[in-house]
Amino acid sequence: MKDKKTSSTAADKETVLVNRKSKMKLLGKQKMLIAMSVPFVLYIILFRYIPLWGWTMAFQRYKPNLKFSQQQWVGFKWFIELFGSRNAETNEFVWNAEFLRSLRNTVGMSLISTALGYITAILLAVFMNEVRVLGVKRFVQTVSYLPHFLSWVIVTGLVANVLSVEDGILNDILLGLHFVKEPVQWLAVPKYFWHIVGWTYVWKEVGWNTIVYLGAMTAIDPCLYEAAQIDGCGRLRKIWHITLPGIKPTIIIMMIMSAGHILDANFEMPYLLQNGLIIDYSTIIDIYVLKYGFKLFNFSLATAAGIFKNVVNIGLLVLANTIAKKSGEERLI
């Protein structure tokens, strides 16, 4: 028995040594790839993980003039105050209407932009995949991709000019077609603002977002289209029964990734287009953080709001991935 145990132990050790040698040999072959990845790993550590130390401010009554050891720790006080606080006289809990509005605006803008972005990107990708004239296809691709390379500051300026009351081209067109009797103040009516942000996002990013779907369509076996052609399927039936099912895994993955950005509504556009008339519909969480962090110098509350946003995003990402996993669909993890 001892001889058998000794021989099995020796065989296990030998297997471990062989595995280690094979791994070291593989690492040696890929040393150039590893060396190339080092700067990116350092970048992530320096600019993504080390700054997380600043999250400690959310659990302190932070004062810039005091050292870290001198700060007063207050636990989850600021996270509670994000949602409200107790009235000193009546002892009733009063909701923080300002933060709740910013949360509502963030979710609303993000959902509109995400929904419109998905639908238009998939439709445009299907359209470009069906176009047989190469020149037309390249023209549409180029025109739809170009806005992606414009900064949001430039895009915001264009939107402001297009929607201007005095000489905005949109009002000129509507007046010329007699759809309206007087110019519409697009940037002064709260109910229009979320849709303005959503459709501007579509115009800027729809071409870029189609790249992923077009890449997925190239992986579909052409024999499937040939078989459908023999069976008498038209273009619409091919799209419905071959193209869309073929890119379904990609759509699921992109949806899961988008779930992790629900509270990441675009900051520049709401910030640059907001005014006193629509501020209740244009203030998002990032603007709330900016206000309390750099204008009111309440760094602790601003940090708590930022942590809340990131934790919710991570939670939604994990939830979406879990739902996809249990449904038997593609998933990230």
Side-chain angles (χ1 to χ4, degrees), residues 139-159:
F139 175 77
V140 174
Q141 285 180 321
T142 303
V143 171
S144 61
Y145 291 170
L146 283 178
H148 171 78
F149 300 99
L150 297 176
S151 72
W152 276 107
V153 176
I154 296 174
V155 171
T156 302
L158 291 173
V159 171

Side-chain angles (χ1 to χ4, degrees), residues 66-77:
L66 297 179
K67 296 180 180 178
F68 179 80
S69 58
Q70 298 174 329
Q71 301 293 341
Q72 179 185 356
W73 294 87
V74 295
F76 292 92
K77 168 184 167 60

Side-chain angles (χ1 to χ4, degrees), residues 3-191:
D3 293 338
K4 289 183 179 180
K5 288 183 179 179
T6 303
S7 60
S8 62
T9 304
D12 292 340
K13 289 182 178 180
E14 186 177 354
T15 303
V16 170
L17 290 174
V18 170
N19 291 335
R20 285 180 180 177
K21 288 180 180 179
S22 61
K23 288 180 180 178
M24 293 301 295
K25 188 176 181 180
L26 182 61
L27 289 174
K29 291 181 179 179
Q30 298 180 347
K31 59 183 178 182
M32 291 302 297
L33 294 175
I34 295 172
M36 290 171 62
S37 65
V38 168
F40 299 100
V41 173
L42 292 177
Y43 172 82
I44 292 173
I45 293 173
L46 289 174
F47 296 101
R48 300 295 180 181
Y49 285 98
I50 292 179
L52 292 179
W53 174 258
W55 280 14
T56 56
M57 288 190 293
F59 305 95
Q60 302 170 339
R61 194 182 299 276
Y62 181 77
K63 296 182 179 179
N65 59 333
L66 297 179
K67 296 180 180 178
F68 179 80
S69 58
Q70 298 174 329
Q71 301 293 341
Q72 179 185 356
W73 294 87
V74 295
F76 292 92
K77 168 184 167 60
W78 300 114
F79 291 94
I80 297 173
E81 289 201 4
L82 280 177
F83 296 94
S85 58
R86 292 198 173 276
N87 190 304
E89 297 179 357
T90 62
N91 199 33
E92 294 181 356
F93 189 82
V94 181
W95 293 99
N96 185 350
E98 185 179 5
F99 177 74
L100 294 178
R101 275 197 304 269
S102 66
L103 179 60
R104 177 203 63 186
N105 297 339
T106 304
V107 174
M109 289 185 211
S110 182
L111 289 178
I112 290 174
S113 299
T114 302
L116 291 175
Y118 266 109
I119 295 171
T120 54
I122 293 171
L123 289 177
L124 182 59
V126 170
F127 166 75
M128 288 194 291
N129 187 60
E130 292 296 318
V131 172
R132 297 292 179 259
V133 181
L134 189 59
V136 174
K137 186 174 183 178
R138 288 178 176 175
F139 175 77
V140 174
Q141 285 180 321
T142 303
V143 171
S144 61
Y145 291 170
L146 283 178
H148 171 78
F149 300 99
L150 297 176
S151 72
W152 276 107
V153 176
I154 296 174
V155 171
T156 302
L158 291 173
V159 171
N161 289 330
V162 169
L163 302 180
S164 175
V165 177
E166 297 179 357
D167 55 356
I169 187 173
L170 181 58
N171 277 319
D172 290 343
I173 293 173
L174 294 177
L175 288 170
L177 296 174
H178 302 289
F179 288 151
V180 295
K181 295 181 179 179
E182 57 183 17
V184 181
Q185 296 183 346
W186 298 103
L187 296 177
V189 182
K191 66 179 181 179

Side-chain angles (χ1 to χ4, degrees), residues 288-327:
Y288 182 88
V289 170
L290 179 68
K291 174 183 176 181
Y292 279 87
F294 294 97
K295 292 183 178 180
L296 302 180
F297 299 104
N298 191 340
F299 299 106
S300 297
L301 184 63
T303 305
I307 293 175
F308 169 79
K309 185 188 79 169
N310 285 288
V311 169
V312 170
N313 281 339
I314 293 171
L316 291 173
L317 177 65
V318 173
L319 178 62
N321 187 76
T322 303
I323 293 173
K325 182 178 180 180
K326 290 186 177 180
S327 301

